[in-house]
Amino acid sequence: MGQSAQLTRRPDTVDAVVARMRDLAAALPERDGIAVFNRVYLAVTEEVARRLTAGRFTDPPATATLDVRFAERYLTAVDAAADGRRVPACWRPLIQFRRHPGIRPLQFALAGVNAHIGHDLALAVVDACRTLECEPADLESDFERVGDLLVALEERVREDLMPGPDLLQIADPLTHLLGAWSLEQAREAAWSAARALWALRRLPEVAEEFTQRLDAAVGFAGRMMLTPLPD
């Protein structure tokens, strides 16, 4: 049995999502690109769980549903990779280059964030709306609260993983590669994509084409983020 055999059960609560991410963290080498992103995502999910318990969201059950549907897409991609199955284009660069020695931890972290926010978030909103039988507008308030948490975390990721001032030669191309990408803009684009997909739900062929184009575009951006840098 491979690693994915332990991770095949669909999580149905935020606590179950946290448990699966902790299992991944324990199973993967620290320098693995998926492990780097997983640490970032685990920190976000643990904070969401704390805020849910503290009543910091307008509709806690709806927020929990969105969080679980969101995490499912990442965990499904990881399981598919472990089984040798095809993964979405948005995740393919991180899966393919996860052990490349010339790629910095910050690149791995933000390539994962790019895939998950740029592609998975829009689809997770639609998944949650179908589960809850609601409209995207009903989730907007808590979507924004989760988004604010993600933006704050991105700043921490950059602070923790960016090379120090003694490595400015390395930091220069890294800054050039990553400075053009903004999580806040990606979050806004995800909300627009979710609304578009919801409006297209009665036109499945058009919705599928839109989803495929989004997947490919996000994957292309992720591949650029994972350009190996010189030592």
Side-chain angles (χ1 to χ4, degrees), residues 123-142:
L123 275 64
V125 170
V126 173
D127 291 342
C129 286
R130 286 181 172 142
T131 299
L132 297 166
E133 299 182 344
C134 69
E135 297 286 325
D138 298 322
L139 300 177
E140 187 170 8
S141 176
D142 287 341

Side-chain angles (χ1 to χ4, degrees), residues 4-5 43 58 68 90 102 107 121 162 165 170 172 206 209:
S4 65
T58 304
V68 171
C90 62
Q107 292 173 268
L121 183 53
M162 187 66 120
I170 293 175
D172 281 343
V206 180
E209 182 177 351

Side-chain angles (χ1 to χ4, degrees), residues 14 62 82 90 110 115 161 185 187 190 198 216 224 226:
V14 176
C90 62
L110 291 186
L161 298 180
Q185 290 182 9
R187 179 187 66 173
W198 187 251
M224 294 302 100
L226 295 175

Side-chain angles (χ1 to χ4, degrees), residues 86-205:
R86 187 176 179 83
V87 300
C90 62
W91 286 106
R92 222 166 286 154
L94 185 56
I95 298 295
Q96 291 175 344
F97 293 96
R98 61 194 290 184
R99 296 181 180 91
H100 196 297
I103 297 175
R104 310 294 168 186
L106 177 60
Q107 292 173 268
F108 286 135
L110 291 186
V113 173
N114 170 67
H116 204 37
I117 303 297
H119 173 266
D120 294 352
L121 183 53
L123 275 64
V125 170
V126 173
D127 291 342
C129 286
R130 286 181 172 142
T131 299
L132 297 166
E133 299 182 344
C134 69
E135 297 286 325
D138 298 322
L139 300 177
E140 187 170 8
S141 176
D142 287 341
F143 176 95
E144 291 297 329
R145 284 183 172 84
V146 172
D148 291 342
L149 177 60
L150 291 168
V151 170
L153 186 76
E154 183 201 17
E155 295 172 0
R156 195 180 91 189
V157 167
R158 290 176 184 268
E159 289 172 3
D160 290 350
L161 298 180
M162 187 66 120
D166 56 326
L167 296 174
L168 285 179
Q169 264 193 314
I170 293 175
D172 281 343
L174 189 58
T175 301
H176 176 74
L177 280 171
L178 303 177
W181 188 86
S182 161
L183 189 147
E184 189 166 2
Q185 290 182 9
R187 179 187 66 173
E188 291 172 357
W191 182 250
S192 296
R195 292 180 62 215
L197 283 168
W198 187 251
L200 291 170
R201 66 192 183 281
R202 294 184 181 86
L203 297 171
E205 291 184 6

Side-chain angles (χ1 to χ4, degrees), residues 3 5 17 19 33 36-37 49 65 115 132 165 167 188 195 200 210 217 223:
Q3 170 189 300
V17 168
V36 174
F37 169 70
T65 297
L132 297 166
L167 296 174
E188 291 172 357
R195 292 180 62 215
L200 291 170
F210 182 96
R223 178 63 187 87

Side-chain angles (χ1 to χ4, degrees), residues 1-9 20 24 75-76 78-85:
M1 267 190 191
Q3 170 189 300
S4 65
Q6 303 172 15
L7 302 172
T8 53
R9 189 169 174 229
R20 287 191 60 183
L24 274 175
L75 293 168
T76 297
V78 171
D79 289 348
D83 289 341
R85 292 181 281 115

